[in-house]
Amino acid sequence: SYELTQPPSVSVSPGQTASITCSGDKLRGVFVSWYQQKPGLSPLLVLFQDRKRPSGIPERFSGSSSGDTATLTISGTQAMDEADYYCQAWDSSTAPVFGGGTKLTVL
Amino acid sequence: EVQLVQSKAEVKKPGDSLRISCKASGFSFNTYWIGWVRQMPGKGLEWMGIIYPGDSETRYSPSFQGQVAISADKSVTTAYLQWSTLKASDTAMYFCATSLGDYAGHSFHIWGRGTVLIVSS
């Protein structure tokens, strides 16, 4: 098993750019996915394979990965983006792993 | 329509046994991983384990190995999460999720709505 580390919280002003990092020494060569979860709802996949957006996810969501760190970036952050965000990695021989989650506050 | 329908909320006592379910429809159940995620009150998401219904290969996260059992019944396209002896600390929301098509092998884009489990004396 391995661990993924995220900052517990990130704050951003409306219209600005928010960045959430996810680090882990086993991220090299493993795709990272990002999920958004709002209170009372199931998680929603917002990025997969480090940087790809599922259908219906706004273009303001983007991702990157380098070495042992992946980053979710939200450009032009809107109030509706306020949520908890989780990174996830899954190598070929184990169960998937989530990061601890980051609470994004838009204020 | 691709969907996962989870069983209803449960209220149990410590020491009880329980099996909750996740009914899949709209896709080939046998050929995609399906898994279970725990979310304790006010806490983050935790992968418990995943199962490949085609051959029943199961992978557990270390924290959950020996604590729960994950299974799947291909005849009714349903995945299960089972406890033999519940504890108060099992109180949580449990989600099932699956990984299809372009997402297979790395992401989970189909989620159930969750099953609330309360374990209290």
Side-chain angles (χ1 to χ4, degrees):
Chain A
S1 179
Y2 49 94
E3 293 187 1
L4 301 178
T5 301
Q6 300 181 230
S9 62
V10 168
S11 298
V12 63
S13 300
Q16 298 305 301
T17 297
S19 294
I20 299 173
T21 56
C22 172
S23 61
D25 59 4
K26 295 191 178 182
L27 278 187
R28 298 173 192 273
V30 177
F31 284 128
V32 174
S33 305
W34 290 91
Y35 300 83
Q36 175 195 72
Q37 189 184 31
K38 296 182 178 180
L41 297 181
S42 303
L44 172 69
L45 180 69
V46 295
L47 291 176
F48 67 103
Q49 289 185 322
D50 298 338
R51 65 185 68 242
K52 297 181 180 179
R53 284 177 292 105
S55 174
I57 301 302
E59 291 185 6
R60 64 180 180 274
F61 288 86
S62 63
S64 63
S65 184
S66 178
D68 62 359
T69 300
T71 303
L72 166 67
T73 301
I74 308 173
S75 305
T77 306
Q78 301 182 9
M80 70 173 63
D81 300 328
E82 187 163 287
D84 294 326
Y85 290 85
Y86 297 88
C87 63
Q88 179 225 280
W90 182 15
D91 73 24
S92 60
S93 61
T94 67
V97 174
F98 283 117
T102 298
K103 181 177 182 61
L104 177 67
T105 301
V106 182
L107 39 69
Chain B
E1 179 190 5
V2 175
Q3 60 178 348
L4 299 173
V5 178
Q6 296 190 230
S7 50
K8 62 178 177 61
E10 300 276 1
V11 180
K12 293 292 188 180
K13 297 186 183 304
D16 284 352
S17 62
L18 176 67
R19 187 178 76 169
I20 62 174
S21 65
C22 174
K23 168 71 175 175
S25 61
F27 65 96
S28 177
F29 180 72
N30 291 357
T31 56
Y32 296 103
W33 290 92
I34 189 165
W36 290 94
V37 172
R38 182 176 78 175
Q39 188 166 39
M40 300 176 74
K43 302 298 184 182
L45 303 173
E46 302 173 271
W47 274 108
M48 302 176 73
I50 53 175
I51 187 167
Y52 189 82
D55 61 6
S56 296
E57 179 183 351
T58 308
R59 301 174 184 172
Y60 293 94
S61 297
S63 298
F64 295 95
Q65 181 79 48
Q67 306 304 306
V68 297
I70 294 172
S71 61
D73 186 336
K74 293 184 285 188
S75 68
V76 291
T77 65
T78 300
Y80 300 99
L81 177 64
Q82 185 169 348
W83 295 261
S84 58
T85 307
L86 285 164
K87 299 173 286 190
S89 58
D90 293 317
T91 294
M93 173 73 87
Y94 293 89
F95 294 100
C96 62
T98 192
S99 173
L100 311 180
D102 290 344
Y103 309 97
H106 48 76
S107 306
F108 291 79
H109 71 301
I110 302 295
W111 289 75
R113 298 179 71 171
T115 295
V116 174
L117 170 61
I118 297 172
V119 183
S120 174
S121 54

